[in-house]
Amino acid sequence: MNVLIIGVGYVGLVTAVCLAEKGHSVTCMDTNIDKIKMLKTGKSPIFERDLENLIQKNKQRLKYITEFVEQSDNYDIIFIAVGTPEKYDGNANLKQLWNVVHNLPRLIDYNCVIVIKSTVPIGTNEKIEQYLKTHIKSEIKLSVVSNPEFLSQGTAIKDTLQASRIVIGSNNDYATQIMLDLYHDFDVPKLITDRQSAEMIKYASNDFLALKISYINEIANLCEIIGANIDDVSHGMALDERIGNKFLRAGIGYGGSCFPKDTKALHWMSNLYDKEIKTVKAAIDVNEQQKLRLIKKARKYIDDFSDLKVAVLGLTFKPETDDLRDSPAIVNIDILLEEGANVFVYDPVGMENFKKLYKKNVKFCKSVNEALKDADVCFIFTEWKQFQELTYENFRLMKKAIIIDGRNCFDIKKMCKLPIIYDSIGRITINNL
Ligand code: UDX
């Protein structure tokens, strides 16, 4: 099939490459000229396992353009995958999406299916179809389909090619069939629903996972007080198949491009209908507090951070990505700098993005040891494998080995034996100094 994808951020690009891998001809359109230039040379603008390989492998089937008018193909399907970031009040910002939609009528004079990949408030697909139907020639057959994504950064290719499910929210058989043809070679469960349900599946899934994280974080905080161990508690819960073993890792809260914005957007929507979703609100509130847990913990050992050397290990919101969006590390670094700390940061992959985004006065280190050398305290914000492999040989470089670990990177029994202070989430505190 001939497919156009408008917006090749994380979701758009991964979708494009995976459809090309399955034999479709895919044109990627993005107004970001630098990104398109990079893609044309076979380079991936984002750090994502296997992505660059697939871009190169499928180069015959992938085209890149910056403007719709540049070429005159008739597309069977047009995906819209532009960003829908959060507004200051938590609602989703659909400006980019509507810009694209407003341009479609003057460019399409053939039958086609418009697929909304972007995460959008419930009812948006319907509004887009209404708009397009009143602005295109009546003889053109055009349908709008909701096809939400469920890919996680770091495993995005696998999550697309071997998806847990493909959800197709459609209101007519013609469009449904085109979507089934598109995904014919994807041997995964396919669920056909109405468009509102498809839109809701996306929010309900993400918000449920966010809720699960906030729940386990609250349990972890209580474990610390009562002397229980969250690793054992999570494991004991996970053995119950009804609960499952995913998303029960306690830490300093969720970040990233989806959970923070999708929880706020659903909460905003529910208020609009005067039906506040209290559980989602609780997940949001708990997460905001959880992000500050490490600083609170450190205050047990350090009254004032001014002029201290603080080592920060991990900047990205999770490992295997260079994405810093809503990363808990950032708000913590802000606080440390405000208190006059000398902040030395290290991340195996996120440093370049951090340099671009974060203009405040932090020291960028070339290695973990450079960050740790003579540090008064060390914070761990991301569970990169490289950090999990650190030993006392690394921490002994610190002036005083005070380690505040927001991702439970180390086995508590091993840490017990070392001359350190080790404070993690939902487990006993070790104070051997
Ligand atoms: C998420 C969803 O998983 C995906 O289906 C959706 O399409 C996009 O949003 P992503 O943002 O890439 O994917 O990351 P994910 O792996 O879900 O982690 C989100 C955040 O939750 C991270 O900050 C992570 O550290 C945190 N997390 C995750 C925990 O704190 N504990 C866990 O047990 C799992």
Side-chain angles (χ1 to χ4, degrees):
M1 285 181 140
N2 198 15
V3 179
L4 172 69
I5 302 209
I6 303 178
V8 281
Y10 230 102
V11 172
L13 184 56
V14 170
T15 306
V17 167
C18 291
L19 289 174
E21 172 74 5
K22 294 287 184 185
H24 299 292
S25 297
V26 186
T27 301
C28 300
M29 202 209 85
D30 202 293
T31 48
N32 183 329
I33 296 167
D34 292 338
K35 191 189 282 181
I36 292 296
K37 267 192 199 155
M38 213 172 157
L39 284 164
K40 280 182 176 167
T41 65
K43 291 251 171 298
S44 170
I46 46 175
F47 177 87
E48 179 65 42
R49 193 187 304 156
D50 297 333
L51 184 57
E52 202 161 274
N53 287 345
L54 288 187
I55 289 173
Q56 287 164 10
K57 181 177 163 209
N58 292 292
K59 63 173 189 255
Q60 304 300 345
R61 283 191 285 270
L62 285 164
K63 270 199 262 176
Y64 303 100
I65 58 173
T66 51
E67 276 183 67
F68 207 4
V69 284
E70 272 179 27
Q71 56 92 58
S72 56
D73 278 359
N74 281 13
Y75 298 105
D76 302 300
I77 298 180
I78 297 178
F79 276 88
I80 305 180
V82 293
T84 51
E86 87 186 54
K87 284 190 195 166
Y88 69 94
D89 61 358
N91 187 14
N93 183 341
L94 302 184
K95 201 169 160 217
Q96 292 180 59
L97 180 87
W98 280 105
N99 273 346
V100 172
V101 173
H102 290 151
N103 270 312
L104 288 178
R106 75 180 169 82
L107 300 162
I108 304 173
D109 59 356
Y110 49 86
N111 298 344
C112 94
V113 172
I114 309 292
V115 180
I116 308 301
K117 211 42 164 166
S118 309
T119 302
V120 290
I122 290 119
T124 306
N125 277 260
E126 175 68 31
K127 283 187 195 152
I128 293 173
E129 187 166 283
Q130 290 306 326
Y131 175 85
L132 291 175
K133 289 216 157 134
T134 50
H135 289 82
I136 53 164
K137 292 183 208 136
S138 56
E139 63 271 24
I140 296 174
K141 206 156 42 157
L142 191 138
S143 312
V144 175
V145 168
S146 166
N147 176 217
E149 53 79 24
F150 302 100
L151 53 89
S152 288
Q153 293 179 217
T155 51
I157 298 289
K158 180 173 158 282
D159 292 348
T160 306
L161 291 175
Q162 296 155 46
S164 52
R165 72 285 207 197
I166 289 174
V167 173
I168 297 169
S170 166
N171 69 345
N172 72 73
D173 294 343
Y174 160 78
T176 306
Q177 193 51 53
I178 299 235
M179 293 303 286
L180 289 173
D181 291 346
L182 178 79
Y183 287 122
H184 181 266
D185 289 342
F186 288 70
D187 186 18
V188 306
K190 288 161 196 145
L191 175 67
I192 294 155
T193 70
D194 57 75
R195 291 184 297 207
Q196 287 86 333
S197 303
E199 291 168 327
M200 182 55 117
I201 288 170
K202 169 69 190 185
Y203 279 110
S205 303
N206 266 2
D207 290 14
F208 181 73
L209 294 173
L211 214 145
K212 216 173 163 187
I213 297 170
S214 279
Y215 178 74
I216 203 66
N217 284 339
E218 281 209 293
I219 295 289
N221 298 344
L222 196 56
C223 282
E224 283 174 24
I225 299 166
I226 61 172
N229 180 320
I230 193 64
D231 298 341
D232 293 337
V233 173
S234 292
H235 183 58
M237 289 168 67
L239 290 173
D240 184 332
E241 274 179 16
R242 294 170 303 175
I243 297 172
N245 63 4
K246 305 268 165 54
F247 284 73
L248 285 181
R249 272 188 347 265
I252 35 156
Y254 56 78
S257 63
C258 289
F259 289 176
K261 89 173 164 66
D262 292 350
T263 43
K264 287 179 205 148
L266 185 62
H267 182 249
W268 191 92
M269 257 181 281
S270 68
N271 274 335
L272 197 66
Y273 299 115
D274 214 9
K275 275 264 167 276
E276 185 185 32
I277 302 197
K278 296 193 178 69
T279 45
V280 171
K281 175 75 169 71
I284 298 168
D285 292 345
V286 168
N287 200 57
E288 286 308 305
Q289 290 303 314
Q290 195 69 12
K291 285 198 250 176
L292 305 175
R293 287 278 296 156
L294 292 200
I295 295 272
K296 285 192 187 137
K297 279 174 179 290
R299 297 232 189 263
K300 286 191 262 172
Y301 320 104
I302 294 165
D303 287 338
D304 182 5
F305 290 103
S306 59
D307 293 327
L308 296 189
K309 173 170 176 178
V310 178
V312 164
L313 302 187
L315 299 170
T316 56
F317 80 94
K318 68 172 193 180
E320 304 307 321
T321 175
D322 59 355
D323 201 328
L324 300 161
R325 280 176 285 179
D326 261 306
S327 171
I330 292 175
V331 52
N332 283 283
I333 294 173
D334 280 343
I335 295 172
L336 291 166
L337 287 176
E338 213 163 277
E339 291 199 14
N342 299 315
V343 179
F344 288 66
V345 301
Y346 177 76
D347 186 286
V349 170
M351 299 284 269
E352 283 311 309
N353 271 353
F354 192 71
K355 273 181 200 164
K356 273 185 236 154
L357 287 171
Y358 201 81
K359 300 294 177 203
K360 295 185 194 162
N361 191 18
V362 297
K363 311 272 185 317
F364 294 95
C365 299
K366 291 197 173 59
S367 67
V368 171
N369 283 355
E370 188 186 338
L372 291 179
K373 180 102 178 54
D374 296 326
D376 294 278
V377 56
C378 164
F379 288 97
I380 303 179
F381 292 116
T382 319
E383 66 276 34
W384 285 99
K385 189 162 179 285
Q386 184 189 348
F387 301 159
Q388 291 170 333
E389 288 166 355
L390 295 177
T391 65
Y392 183 61
E393 290 311 303
N394 303 96
F395 293 117
R396 71 187 304 168
L397 296 172
M398 297 174 68
K399 197 181 286 168
K400 224 174 165 193
I402 304 178
I403 305 149
I404 317 286
D405 178 4
R407 297 294 184 184
N408 291 0
C409 287
F410 307 104
D411 184 326
I412 199 85
K413 289 196 191 94
K414 285 188 190 149
M415 297 306 259
C416 272
K417 297 177 191 135
L418 305 176
I420 56 172
I421 289 178
Y422 179 64
D423 209 330
S424 53
I425 304 285
R427 313 189 293 181
I428 52 157
T429 300
I430 296 163
N431 190 343
N432 292 340
L433 287 186

